Amino acid sequence: MATSLLPVHNDFSLLMEQVCYACAAVNLNEQSIRVIVNSLNPRENGETFAYADYYATQFLRLKDLNPELYEHLALDRLQQLYKDKGQEHFDFESPDQPNMKFALDIYVPEADIQAVYLVCRRERKADLFAAIAQQFIYAHCDYFIYIDARRNSYTAFAMTDKSSTKPPMFCADYDETIIQYAYTYCTPEEQENTIYEMTLARVIDQLDKYGVHSFYSSIYEDGEIHRKYLEYRYFNKEEKMILLFRSDVTDMYNEENQYAQKLQAAIDQAYTDSLTGILNAQGMQDHVNEKLMALSVEAMAGNGLRDVEPLSALLFIDLDNFKQVNDHCGHLMGDQVLKDIAAALKENLRADDFAARIGGDEFEAFIAHLDSREDGVAICQRILYAIEDLPQKHNFDVPLSCSIGVAFSPDDGHQYADLVRIADARVYAAKRRGKRTVVFE
C-alpha cells in the first residue's frame, strides 16, 4: 500500500484508513466523482474528476478482475440504483496482491442530494480491523463523521446502535442540520452554545488556531439527560476535510459531580461547628475575608473610591454567666442553650450575613450593607434581649446575658484579623462596664 501524503496525519485519520481504504461520492447531476479518501493514491483526496474519464481509467482494471462489479459501476447502473434507493456489496481480490481482499459497498444517501457513495474496505486482517473499530469507535463513540467543509456536507463512517440520538448517515447541509439537531435533542440551556460550537466557521477557526476543537453538551437520550463530548480534528487541512467524533461521558461527568459534592460537603463540615450547625472559627474567618474582598471590589468597580465601601459590622459576643448554667443546670442544658443562641443569631440576621461559634461560650456575627452604625447597634440589642429570654424559656434562674464588642468596616479595617482584634478589645470593655452591654467605639 502506498504511503499516505496527507498533510495532517493523526490517530483519527489512521483509524479512518483502517476502516475505509477508499471512499468517493458520485454526483449524478454533474456526472462527476469526488474522491474523499484514496489510500492507494492520496494525491486524489479531495479532488473531483469527470466520471466517464475516471471510469475508463481507474476502474478499467476491474473489467477483467470482476466484470460484474465493473458493470455495476457504470453511470447508468448507478443512476438506476439511485432511483431504487438501493445498496450493493461486492467482494474482490487485488490484482497486485492476491492475498489482499477488498469489499466495496455502494450506498444511496438518505438525503436527496443526487449522489451515490462508493466505500471500499480492506478485508486483510479483517478480525484485527474489526477489533480496532469495536474498541475505538463503537465502544467509546456514538458516531464518527467525516465533514467536507468546502461543500458543507458530511458522511458518517461509523455509528453505534447504542445512541438513540444519531444524526443522518449523509448530509448535504451540515450547518442547517446541526441547528435542527440541537433544537431536537439538546437541553434548552445548551442549544445555542451547541449550535455555535458546531458551526463550520467556529470549528475551522478553532482548528486553525489550536489543531483541535472540543466541547461538552447535554442532550436528552432515552428519556434521560446525557453528557456528551464532541471533538473535531483535521483529516486534511488544505482540503478542509474534518473528522468529528462524539462520545458519551455521562458516567464520568456524574462521578466528577459526586466528587465535587463530597468535597464541598467536606469543606462545609470543616467550616461548621458540630454542636450548633453554624460556622466555626475557621469558617468565619474565611467567609468574612471573602465577603470583605467582594465588598471592596464592588466599591472600586462602582467609582474607584475606597471610602464608599458599604458599611459592615463584626460582632464579638461573649456570654455572661454561662459557666453557672453548666454548673447549676448541667452540660446538656448548657449545650441546648448554645444551640438556642445560634438559632437566635440566625433569626436576627439576614440570609447573606454570617454567624459563628468560635469557642465554648463565644460567638461572632458579621453584618454587611448597614445603613448606619446605629442599625448595627440595634441588631446587637435584639440579640442581647433574645439571649436574656432563654432562662425563662428553659425555666432556670441563672441570669444569662451577653457582652458585645463591635468593629466596623471600612473604618476599623478591611481584614477579618483587624476587625476581630478591635471587636475583642471592645467586648472586654463591655465586661468592665458591668456586662450586658454593647461597645462599638
Side-chain angles (χ1 to χ4, degrees):
M1 185 181 76
T3 302
S4 175
L5 300 178
L6 295 179
V8 175
H9 220 59
N10 52 47
D11 293 340
F12 298 113
S13 62
L14 290 171
L15 179 59
M16 188 175 179
E17 285 185 3
Q18 301 294 347
V19 175
C20 179
Y21 185 75
C23 179
V26 180
N27 188 311
L28 301 178
N29 284 337
E30 299 178 0
Q31 297 188 7
S32 62
I33 181 170
R34 174 168 56 87
V35 178
I36 299 172
V37 175
N38 187 347
S39 298
L40 186 62
N41 186 4
R43 293 183 179 85
E44 290 187 353
N45 292 353
E47 297 294 332
T48 301
F49 306 92
Y51 189 78
D53 295 339
Y54 203 85
Y55 180 76
T57 56
Q58 302 302 316
F59 292 158
L60 183 61
R61 304 171 69 194
L62 294 172
K63 188 173 184 179
D64 296 328
L65 183 67
N66 193 324
E68 182 184 9
L69 172 57
Y70 182 74
E71 291 179 6
H72 277 77
L73 290 173
L75 188 63
D76 59 339
R77 296 295 293 268
L78 296 181
Q79 290 171 334
Q80 184 59 48
L81 183 70
Y82 178 84
K83 292 179 181 178
D84 298 338
K85 299 297 181 184
Q87 177 176 335
E88 294 183 331
H89 176 86
F90 296 91
D91 296 307
F92 62 96
E93 291 187 355
S94 167
D96 302 320
Q97 303 178 58
N99 294 326
M100 179 84 74
K101 293 184 178 181
F102 294 88
L104 179 69
D105 291 292
I106 307 175
Y107 296 99
V108 176
E110 296 178 9
D112 187 14
I113 57 175
Q114 290 289 313
V116 173
Y117 280 80
L118 312 177
V119 179
C120 181
R121 296 179 174 86
R122 294 181 298 179
E123 293 298 322
R124 184 173 62 90
K125 298 183 181 178
D127 293 340
L128 173 61
F129 296 153
I132 291 174
Q134 178 67 31
Q135 181 175 357
F136 291 101
I137 297 179
Y138 295 105
H140 300 290
C141 301
D142 294 337
Y143 54 70
F144 187 79
I145 286 174
Y146 157 78
I147 301 171
D148 186 339
R150 288 185 171 181
R151 292 172 173 80
N152 190 34
S153 63
Y154 77 71
T155 304
F157 283 92
M159 198 166 289
T160 179
D161 292 331
K162 294 185 297 183
S163 175
S164 61
T165 57
K166 296 180 292 187
M169 289 292 294
F170 303 96
C171 169
D173 190 341
Y174 169 85
D175 278 337
E176 177 62 28
T177 298
I178 64 170
I179 293 174
Q180 298 174 2
Y181 189 81
Y183 285 135
T184 301
Y185 295 112
C186 290
T187 57
E189 66 275 9
E190 297 273 7
Q191 290 172 354
E192 295 302 325
N193 182 66
T194 299
I195 293 171
Y196 169 71
E197 294 292 351
M198 293 188 74
T199 55
L200 283 178
R202 169 69 173 173
V203 171
I204 291 172
D205 174 73
Q206 295 298 291
L207 290 180
D208 289 342
K209 289 179 179 177
Y210 308 111
V212 62
H213 175 50
S214 61
F215 69 98
Y216 293 90
S217 182
S218 296
I219 67 171
Y220 292 109
E221 191 170 77
D222 301 324
E224 299 178 347
I225 295 179
H226 283 245
R227 193 69 170 167
K228 302 293 184 177
Y229 172 77
L230 294 91
E231 181 173 314
Y232 294 80
R233 290 180 181 268
Y234 271 130
F235 177 62
N236 186 322
K237 183 175 182 179
E238 182 180 352
E239 300 296 335
K240 291 293 184 286
M241 297 179 176
I242 300 170
L243 299 179
L244 160 65
F245 80 89
R246 190 188 79 179
S247 56
D248 192 300
V249 294
T250 304
D251 291 342
M252 181 174 63
Y253 178 74
N254 290 339
E255 287 178 4
E256 290 178 351
N257 275 347
Q258 291 172 3
Y259 175 76
Q261 291 171 4
K262 290 180 180 178
L263 180 61
Q264 186 60 52
I267 293 173
D268 292 342
Q269 184 176 4
Y271 278 172
T272 302
D273 177 63
S274 59
L275 176 64
T276 62
I278 59 177
L279 294 174
N280 59 21
Q282 186 61 53
M284 189 64 169
Q285 177 178 328
D286 291 351
H287 279 67
V288 171
N289 278 331
E290 288 176 7
K291 187 65 173 181
L292 289 170
M293 178 62 72
L295 293 172
S296 178
V297 171
E298 175 187 324
M300 296 180 71
N303 55 19
L305 299 178
R306 173 74 75 168
D307 57 4
V308 299
E309 184 177 319
L311 183 65
S312 302
L314 179 70
L315 283 56
F316 195 116
I317 305 162
D318 191 354
L319 299 184
D320 301 325
N321 306 318
F322 179 71
K323 184 176 182 300
Q324 296 181 36
V325 175
N326 278 332
D327 292 343
H328 291 80
C329 305
H331 289 283
L332 289 179
M333 177 57 71
D335 288 348
Q336 185 58 53
V337 167
L338 294 175
K339 293 177 184 178
D340 288 347
I341 291 172
L345 290 176
K346 290 191 288 187
E347 288 175 4
N348 285 279
L349 299 177
R350 297 160 300 184
D352 57 346
D353 296 330
F354 310 132
R357 178 183 174 223
I358 61 170
D361 60 353
E362 295 176 336
F363 292 80
E364 288 180 358
F366 182 79
I367 309 166
H369 294 285
L370 288 168
D371 292 331
S372 66
R373 287 183 170 228
E374 288 71 20
D375 287 342
V377 174
I379 293 174
C380 291
Q381 292 293 343
R382 292 201 299 269
I383 292 171
L384 194 153
Y385 296 149
I387 292 175
E388 287 184 330
D389 288 341
L390 292 179
Q392 182 178 358
K393 174 183 178 181
H394 293 291
N395 194 28
F396 61 79
D397 57 4
V398 176
L400 184 66
S401 63
C402 68
S403 300
I404 304 176
V406 186
F408 293 96
S409 176
D411 297 343
D412 294 324
H414 300 283
Q415 298 289 328
Y416 171 81
D418 298 328
L419 297 178
V420 76
R421 176 177 53 81
I422 293 173
D424 184 51
R426 288 174 179 169
V427 82
Y428 277 104
K431 293 281 191 182
R432 289 194 298 269
R433 295 182 187 182
K435 305 180 181 179
R436 193 183 174 275
T437 189
V438 178
V439 175
F440 57 90
E441 58 184 5

